[in-house]
Amino acid sequence: MSELRYPNESREYRAARESLLKDEQELVDKVKSVAEKRRNLPPGGQLKEDYVFQWATDGKVGKSVKFSELFADKNTLLLYSFMYGPSWDNPCPNCTSLVDGFDRTWYSVTQDAAFVAIAKAPADRINAWAKKRGWSQIALVSGFNSPYQADYKCQGDSDDMQWPVMHVFRRQGGKIFHFWGTETTENHVDTVWPYWNLMDFTPEGRPDISTAPQNFRSEFLEKNYLNKE
């Protein structure tokens, strides 16, 4: 790459770019190092109970499914809880942007691990939103009647105070264990959100806005999160 040159670029640009390239490589190395440490975590706690959810995917809407069944034939499960409570008018725009991307990467991810998105809203409302967004691949479930979100810190004081949380669970020896979960509000967003990562490549950088650009609003989110004093 040291011989790479683009048309009409200056020596100043090439020198700055090569310096930045070193920083970019250090960032990649750091990401790999953190991932290795994550893989070497000791076993987490055993799943509190075999929670029962409702499918929110076309053809199965409202049908019960146990937590253990979400693994299908895999031993690892990624379970993303997105912000869409029972009383919300629309889901969180940022979570919607994330699941937009998850839906298109679901096929690749599920060659090695199960990948499911869950929300607290009823199954029929999740399904209706999925149709509006064009989500056609990722498995969707509702935790409307389940204590899962409360037990695994995906919500605040009520079912409507939802948080964006990624959890990973592992099935081993006939039992299910918690492997990893989001424990700060930003640490999963930077790594898996296409919007933020792509904007980082631009001269303008990430826009100084609280929610991703969308053609809809979430009045519940604005009132109870963004404008909360």
Side-chain angles (χ1 to χ4, degrees):
M1 294 295 289
S2 61
E3 300 300 320
L4 182 64
R5 297 290 186 274
Y6 294 111
N8 300 317
E9 70 176 28
S10 66
R11 290 184 178 180
E12 180 184 19
Y13 173 86
R14 179 47 46 191
R17 181 65 188 92
E18 290 183 352
S19 176
L20 177 60
L21 190 61
K22 295 178 183 178
D23 292 334
E24 290 173 339
Q25 185 59 56
E26 288 177 3
L27 178 61
V28 171
D29 292 341
K30 182 64 175 179
V31 169
K32 291 181 178 179
S33 173
V34 170
E36 182 178 6
K37 291 179 180 179
R38 185 183 297 116
R39 291 194 299 273
N40 291 324
L41 283 169
Q46 187 172 345
L47 186 69
K48 186 176 180 182
E49 63 180 85
D50 198 2
Y51 300 98
V52 178
F53 305 131
Q54 288 74 47
W55 283 113
T57 302
D58 259 357
K60 300 187 289 186
V61 177
K63 293 182 179 180
S64 295
V65 57
K66 292 182 178 179
F67 191 105
S68 56
E69 294 173 323
L70 298 180
F71 284 82
D73 62 344
K74 302 298 189 296
N75 290 319
T76 298
L77 168 68
L78 292 89
L79 187 56
Y80 181 69
S81 184
F82 65 99
M83 297 169 66
Y84 190 14
S87 300
W88 289 43
D89 54 314
N90 287 318
C92 165
N94 288 346
C95 290
T96 297
S97 177
L98 279 159
V99 181
D100 284 344
F102 292 161
D103 185 65
R104 292 301 180 262
T105 56
W106 179 89
Y107 174 80
S108 297
V109 172
T110 54
Q111 302 307 300
D112 300 293
F115 189 13
V116 179
I118 183 173
K120 197 68 177 179
D124 58 342
R125 294 186 60 201
I126 296 173
N127 180 253
W129 188 253
K131 288 182 177 180
K132 184 177 292 188
R133 297 301 296 188
W135 299 340
S136 60
Q137 298 190 75
I138 192 167
L140 299 166
V141 297
S142 167
F144 181 69
N145 293 313
S146 170
Y148 166 77
Q149 276 103 331
D151 289 346
Y152 282 87
K153 317 303 179 187
C154 303
Q155 67 180 50
D157 297 335
S158 74
D159 286 352
D160 276 318
M161 300 307 291
Q162 295 291 305
W163 310 118
V165 179
M166 179 75 82
H167 280 299
V168 182
F169 295 86
R170 187 172 187 178
R171 184 167 57 186
Q172 191 171 18
K175 298 179 180 179
I176 297 172
F177 298 91
H178 184 250
F179 172 73
W180 179 88
T182 302
E183 294 190 12
T184 66
T185 57
E186 298 294 333
N187 75 347
H188 72 292
V189 172
D190 277 352
T191 56
V192 299
W193 197 2
Y195 171 55
W196 258 181
N197 282 276
L198 290 172
M199 292 309 296
D200 273 342
F201 289 124
T202 69
E204 296 80 12
R206 303 181 183 191
D208 186 19
I209 54 178
S210 56
T211 59
Q214 295 284 9
N215 59 0
F216 69 93
R217 294 175 59 185
S218 175
E219 293 182 2
F220 186 94
L221 179 77
E222 292 173 6
K223 179 180 179 181
N224 293 279
Y225 289 79
L226 302 182
N227 297 325
K228 190 174 182 180
E229 294 182 359

